[in-house]
Amino acid sequence: MGAVPSTPRWGSGGAAAWPPDTAEYLIGTFVGEKSFPLGSDYWQKLLELPVSLHWPSQRVDHACQVLVNVVGSETVLQNAGTLYIAVSQGHKIRENVVCNDIVRGTLGFTGASCAWMFPRNWMVSLLFNLLFKVETCKLRLNGYAQNNCHTRHLSKILIHLAWCLQECVSTSGVPPSSYMKAINATYISSVFLKYLIENAKTETFEELYLSLDQSEAVPSNFSQDENIGSLVMRSALSFIGKVDVSPKTYLLHHELLNFMLVAMSTQLLSGPSPEPKDFHPFIDAAMVQETSLVGLVVRKLLFNYISRPRFTSNAASYDTFSEGNQPGVLQRVSSAAASFVLLPFSFFVSSSGEATRNPLVYSSLHVLLILIHYRKCVLETVKDRSDDSASSLSKENSYFCENPYCKALENAKDVDFDRIDIEGNAHSGPLVRLPFASLFDTLGMYLADETAVLLLYSLVHGNSDFLEYVLVRTDLDTLLMPLLETLYNAPKRSSNQIYMVLIILLILSQDSSFNASIHKLILPSVPWYQERLLHQTSLGSLVVIILIRTVKYNLSKLRDVYLHTNCLATLANMAPHVHRLSAYASQRLVSLFDMLSRKYSKLAELKSNKIQIGNGESRGDNLPEDMSTELHIYTDFLRIVLEILNAILTYALPRNPEVVYATMHRQEVFQPYKNHPRFNELLENIFNVLDFFNSRMDAQRTDGEWSVEKVLQVIIINCRSWRGEGMKMFTQLHFTYEQESHPEEFFIPYVWQLALSRSVISFDPSSINLFPVDLPAEDNYLGEEADKHQNGELDGHPVRIDLSELQ
């Protein structure tokens, strides 16, 4: 065999060929047919494997297949015909024919050479051997030899994982060997649990066998009635919430968070709408933990995100698990029997990007977002009280259980200030205290990442104290600048990320102090804005510019009504508080009306032509009706823009001479709608302003041509004498954000898209039912509307804004 190590055979005693203390024997035995009791010394040997274990990934599936069905029976059956022909004709059998280690083993082949030649006197016995093995595989495929069903080794490794974690939490001065065993238990559990989940055939994941056989002998510290899913989740959450991240615990924290993602990935196999029949044993177990533990977990996951602990590849955590210079399995066995990718050094030194350079940070954020956005749907049976007879009927109603993680985040308080304490109100249950200042600054630094945007949304929408904290900050540009830059680069961002940014801006704009303060904050420059040099521009003016730019981009590329509505709603909320809007922003605002009016006029003309055609000849399509709907939408948009201009000119005209100038400069765009029944009242105010300043201009004598500076100077002077006479006072528009009735249908798939696109854990795309997976989530572009439902984008929107008041 030379320098190439032989490939072990698993199945009926195959692991016995290896010495009992080697990794090959221990893993082969774990996936094999022999069942080891929960209290056997075997488990300690398995969990004391070197932490540097690193085996090629193609053998992971092999080990997992053996755990479920002995010796890869399906592969043997698939290759049987090819082998029969090759052997009977005396052909050389090559690696591309004998593509499975188990097939080589069943035929008596050893070694890893790529070809074998058989003398003819071997043929008869070899063919009989093949036929016998095929018949054996048929029995195994019929369910007679599912190893995990018989051994319950997955449940046993999960129980040992829980015990290891409990030891790491409860013991002061935990020895390095305890962390090593916990890491091995965590990773081995993750490998096999992930395979069983993504290959599950039943909706209740019976393949996991999360229970022990009633005849199983168990130690005194374990009860047969113990819920294994609840035990392991309670232990995992306790470690995450109670043990600080340090060089010694970093590796275990990282692997445990990955295990949490694997355990909760049962959601990927369900549809986007949670139903009572959905079965998620691990995340449901997390939802019923004690309130105090839930609070600790939420706080620690957020603290991981804020503190961003980082340890280099030569950190003490690695030295802890090695005995001197003894080589690990990676050095000793280059082609091992089972394949694990147990956090190799290369993960830290060869990966690129913030998510891979600091995986603990993003694993913490993904786990937190999955926990807070999960919704458990349950079914209850209630009697119909409308019938007083004894034979009254019962009916079933579904409802969502309260999410304790979401509640903990919503009730979190600032460590430096607690409004409830000042008001003297008592707290119901333990509070999660967070450093709002650090959280604010961290979000500001990383809002270019989509997961950070979703976290910010979850905070400002759900936690009123954090929203209030954001609104009183004087450096709002810390958050707004990266959000606005995301909108500016909309073609390179996913549409879901754009929605989240716009909703955050809408939520912030609901506060009048926010709308006033952003116009007082002056930006020296905006380096990422390329179309024009923006020098000494207010943050409020930049918000107006970017929102209008987003509307224009959307109009030309997407024509998404929700996106239009969000942008215009935010502008409408800001309008009464606009202060010294820049010349460029003012021009953009008037040009927005012009652009929408041209679109409106085109639709009105097309509709008119369709109606005329319909009157002259019979048509069976719905084009006039569809066009009427779109025309109605653009009528609403035009009215909102007029409302925005009205609010500025009515409540803030003396402070906005540039808006007056821009309106006068393009006053002809308003003329066609002067007598429009939906716009005439609003246009009366605009023409009242135009008449006032036009008359002042006519009365002003000037030498030579009118320059921009001269016109603006006249406007500024006359703004001081403006009294608003003849202006009609309209009720100010005020838009508020409201989630759709079933936000979980948007957020649960969205969170998992983000988690999978940025996690070190991959999942079989063919097993995912939660969202479309034809293309990765990060490849989606806002401008690709035609591919919106084929590349992972989500159906539906997370926002509803009522436009009925505009009718």
Side-chain angles (χ1 to χ4, degrees):
M1 292 185 291
V4 182
S6 61
T7 303
R9 283 171 284 154
W10 294 331
S12 301
W18 294 94
D21 291 333
T22 62
E24 292 76 15
Y25 170 84
L26 293 170
I27 299 299
T29 305
F30 177 82
V31 301
E33 300 175 5
K34 183 178 180 180
S35 175
F36 284 86
L38 195 58
S40 170
D41 293 339
Y42 160 79
W43 297 103
Q44 295 304 314
K45 295 179 181 179
L46 176 66
L47 299 183
E48 289 172 357
L49 288 174
V51 76
S52 56
L53 189 63
H54 182 195
W55 289 328
S57 59
Q58 66 269 21
R59 304 195 187 274
V60 172
D61 287 341
H62 179 83
C64 295
Q65 290 168 9
V66 173
L67 181 65
V68 179
N69 290 302
V70 177
V71 301
S73 306
E74 294 181 358
T75 305
V76 173
L77 289 178
Q78 290 171 0
N79 292 332
T82 305
L83 286 168
Y84 181 90
I85 295 173
V87 173
S88 63
Q89 294 180 358
H91 290 172
K92 186 179 291 186
I93 302 177
R94 300 184 178 278
E95 190 71 17
N96 62 346
V97 176
V98 189
C99 59
N100 186 285
D101 297 336
I102 297 304
V103 177
R104 289 203 295 269
T106 59
L107 295 177
F109 303 156
T110 58
S113 57
C114 61
W116 300 266
M117 181 68 77
F118 296 95
R120 291 190 178 276
N121 59 354
W122 287 11
M123 290 300 176
V124 176
S125 61
L126 193 58
L127 290 175
F128 274 112
N129 194 338
L130 172 61
L131 293 175
F132 174 77
K133 292 299 182 181
V134 168
E135 291 302 317
T136 303
C137 288
K138 288 180 181 179
L139 293 177
R140 286 165 174 167
L141 284 176
N142 288 331
Y144 290 103
Q146 290 187 351
N147 284 351
N148 185 49
C149 173
H150 169 63
T151 65
R152 306 297 171 100
H153 277 181
L154 177 63
S155 289
K156 293 173 184 177
I157 193 71
L158 290 174
I159 294 171
H160 278 279
L161 167 59
W163 288 345
C164 290
L165 294 174
Q166 291 170 5
E167 180 183 357
C168 292
V169 172
S170 61
T171 307
S172 59
V174 181
S177 59
S178 296
Y179 290 124
M180 181 183 71
K181 290 191 294 184
I183 289 172
N184 278 339
T186 304
Y187 189 76
I188 293 172
S189 299
S190 298
V191 168
F192 293 102
L193 182 60
K194 173 181 174 292
Y195 179 87
L196 290 173
I197 289 175
E198 64 186 354
N199 290 280
K201 305 300 182 184
T202 62
E203 294 181 348
T204 56
F205 298 97
E206 295 175 2
E207 297 87 347
L208 301 182
Y209 295 105
L210 294 177
S211 63
L212 298 183
D213 193 278
Q214 291 297 321
S215 61
E216 179 87 28
V218 296
S220 58
N221 61 338
F222 182 80
S223 171
Q224 282 281 10
D225 297 330
E226 182 85 51
N227 184 302
I228 296 176
S230 180
L231 172 66
V232 71
M233 290 303 283
R234 181 170 64 251
S235 302
L237 293 170
S238 295
F239 183 87
I240 291 171
K242 297 177 181 179
V243 179
D244 292 332
V245 178
S246 67
K248 289 185 176 182
T249 65
Y250 183 93
L251 199 57
L252 180 52
H253 271 284
H254 171 75
E255 284 301 330
L256 201 53
L257 289 168
N258 283 342
F259 170 80
M260 289 283 292
L261 289 173
V262 169
M264 296 186 295
S265 67
T266 54
Q267 294 179 83
L268 293 170
L269 277 66
S270 300
S273 301
E275 299 180 6
K277 66 180 181 63
D278 294 342
F279 183 71
H280 307 298
F282 294 100
I283 193 168
D284 286 340
M287 292 295 142
V288 296
Q289 300 302 318
E290 295 180 358
T291 304
S292 58
L293 178 57
V294 170
L296 288 174
V297 171
V298 170
R299 180 185 180 278
K300 180 56 67 67
L301 293 176
L302 277 173
F303 189 75
N304 288 347
Y305 182 72
I306 295 170
S307 61
R308 313 184 86 77
R310 185 191 301 270
F311 300 101
T312 58
S313 60
N314 59 353
S317 58
Y318 287 94
D319 298 331
T320 300
F321 304 118
S322 61
E323 300 176 4
N325 295 322
Q326 179 181 357
V329 174
L330 173 62
Q331 291 79 23
R332 290 187 284 109
V333 182
S334 59
S335 178
S339 64
F340 295 153
V341 193
L342 185 54
L343 198 64
F345 289 155
S346 59
F347 177 78
F348 289 100
V349 299
S350 64
S351 300
S352 60
E354 175 65 20
T356 51
R357 289 197 302 268
N358 203 340
L360 180 68
V361 172
Y362 287 88
S363 295
S364 299
L365 185 52
H366 295 151
V367 169
L368 175 65
L369 291 173
I370 290 170
L371 287 172
I372 65 175
H373 286 289
Y374 176 68
R375 293 295 180 270
K376 173 65 175 177
C377 184
V378 296
L379 201 63
E380 67 173 354
T381 302
V382 296
K383 289 186 177 181
D384 189 355
R385 300 294 183 181
S386 61
D387 187 357
D388 296 332
S389 64
S391 60
S392 59
L393 299 177
S394 297
K395 61 180 181 179
E396 293 181 335
N397 292 329
S398 62
Y399 66 94
F400 290 104
C401 296
E402 186 177 69
N403 184 321
Y405 297 87
C406 180
K407 186 176 181 181
L409 185 69
E410 290 175 352
N411 295 332
K413 307 297 178 185
D414 190 1
V415 294
D416 297 325
F417 177 75
D418 191 346
R419 176 171 53 84
I420 294 183
D421 288 341
I422 293 176
E423 295 176 355
N425 297 326
H427 299 299
S428 58
L431 276 177
V432 177
R433 291 189 173 273
L434 300 171
F436 280 3
S438 300
L439 183 56
F440 179 95
D441 294 337
T442 303
L443 285 168
M445 288 188 288
Y446 297 100
L447 277 176
D449 178 72
E450 197 166 352
T451 51
V453 175
L454 182 54
L455 175 61
L456 178 58
Y457 162 81
S458 302
L459 287 165
V460 298
H461 174 253
N463 190 306
S464 58
D465 279 19
F466 185 78
L467 174 60
E468 183 178 334
Y469 176 84
V470 170
L471 294 173
V472 299
R473 288 281 295 232
T474 57
D475 57 341
L476 284 168
D477 55 315
T478 301
L479 291 184
L480 290 190
M481 289 299 284
L483 294 178
L484 296 175
E485 186 176 3
T486 296
L487 292 180
Y488 180 80
N489 293 312
K492 301 177 182 178
R493 301 288 185 260
S494 73
S495 59
N496 295 326
Q497 184 177 7
I498 300 302
Y499 284 130
M500 289 295 100
V501 171
L502 290 175
I503 291 170
I504 291 169
L505 293 177
L506 177 58
I507 292 173
L508 296 176
S509 72
Q510 293 170 190
D511 184 80
S512 58
S513 64
F514 167 84
N515 296 323
S517 60
I518 59 175
H519 288 283
K520 299 175 183 177
L521 202 159
I522 304 300
L523 305 171
S525 62
V526 186
W528 43 263
Y529 194 90
Q530 301 296 317
E531 286 85 344
R532 187 184 184 99
L533 180 63
L534 299 180
H535 181 66
Q536 295 296 317
T537 299
S538 70
L539 181 58
S541 294
L542 182 61
V543 172
V544 172
I545 292 169
I546 296 300
L547 288 176
I548 293 174
R549 186 180 185 275
T550 304
V551 171
K552 289 189 172 183
Y553 175 79
N554 179 53
L555 187 65
S556 61
K557 299 290 184 181
L558 296 183
R559 295 179 294 175
D560 189 318
V561 173
Y562 285 92
L563 195 148
H564 274 324
T565 304
N566 284 347
C567 292
L568 296 178
T570 303
L571 289 171
N573 288 345
M574 293 172 57
H577 311 281
V578 167
H579 184 82
R580 295 193 177 279
L581 197 66
S582 70
Y584 184 55
S586 302
Q587 294 167 14
R588 296 291 86 198
L589 187 57
V590 176
S591 68
L592 175 61
F593 178 85
D594 182 34
M595 180 186 63
L596 291 173
S597 67
R598 284 187 274 110
K599 178 67 175 178
Y600 171 85
S601 298
K602 183 178 180 180
L603 286 170
E605 182 179 355
L606 288 174
K607 180 189 175 185
S608 177
N609 292 338
K610 293 292 182 182
I611 292 175
Q612 291 177 7
I613 294 174
N615 290 334
E617 57 186 82
S618 175
R619 295 180 59 88
D621 54 38
N622 294 321
L623 286 175
E625 180 180 351
D626 295 341
M627 208 161 293
S628 295
T629 301
E630 190 172 2
L631 184 64
H632 181 74
I633 291 172
Y634 277 92
T635 303
D636 286 341
F637 289 158
L638 274 177
R639 184 171 174 85
I640 293 176
V641 176
L642 290 177
E643 291 268 14
I644 293 168
L645 286 169
N646 254 274
I648 297 174
L649 297 177
T650 303
Y651 298 100
L653 186 147
R655 304 190 302 270
N656 292 282
E658 293 288 1
V659 177
V660 177
Y661 177 88
T663 306
M664 293 181 65
H665 182 66
R666 300 290 307 278
Q667 55 188 294
E668 72 279 356
V669 302
F670 303 102
Q671 195 66 40
Y673 304 96
K674 191 172 185 178
N675 297 319
H676 194 288
R678 289 290 307 280
F679 308 142
N680 57 353
E681 287 186 340
L682 294 169
L683 283 169
E684 283 182 20
N685 279 348
I686 294 177
F687 281 107
N688 192 11
V689 172
L690 290 173
D691 292 341
F692 175 85
F693 284 95
N694 283 332
S695 63
R696 298 303 186 273
M697 292 288 297
D698 293 340
Q700 184 74 31
R701 293 184 179 181
T702 182
D703 297 330
E705 296 287 336
W706 282 99
S707 64
V708 173
E709 291 76 13
K710 289 180 180 180
V711 174
L712 190 58
Q713 187 62 33
V714 172
I715 292 173
I716 292 173
I717 293 173
N718 285 279
C719 277
R720 299 167 187 168
S721 59
W722 169 258
R723 297 295 180 267
E725 297 176 357
M727 297 287 283
K728 292 183 179 180
M729 305 299 291
F730 296 96
T731 302
Q732 294 183 18
L733 287 183
H734 187 74
F735 294 92
T736 57
Y737 169 68
E738 179 184 356
Q739 279 189 344
E740 289 283 4
S741 57
H742 292 285
E744 68 282 346
E745 296 178 4
F746 175 87
F747 286 105
I748 293 178
Y750 183 35
V751 168
W752 273 107
Q753 277 189 304
L754 295 179
L756 292 183
S757 66
R758 289 156 175 79
S759 174
V760 297
I761 298 173
S762 61
F763 203 88
D764 182 8
S766 64
S767 300
I768 297 177
N769 297 318
L770 188 61
F771 53 81
V773 290
D774 291 342
L775 289 177
E778 63 266 28
D779 289 341
N780 298 333
Y781 292 97
L782 188 64
E784 298 178 357
E785 175 69 10
D787 297 329
K788 185 172 183 180
H789 300 291
Q790 282 73 44
N791 63 6
E793 289 296 343
L794 305 177
D795 292 324
H797 303 275
V799 64
R800 179 172 68 247
I801 298 178
D802 187 8
L803 297 178
S804 59
E805 59 183 297
L806 300 177
Q807 304 309 315

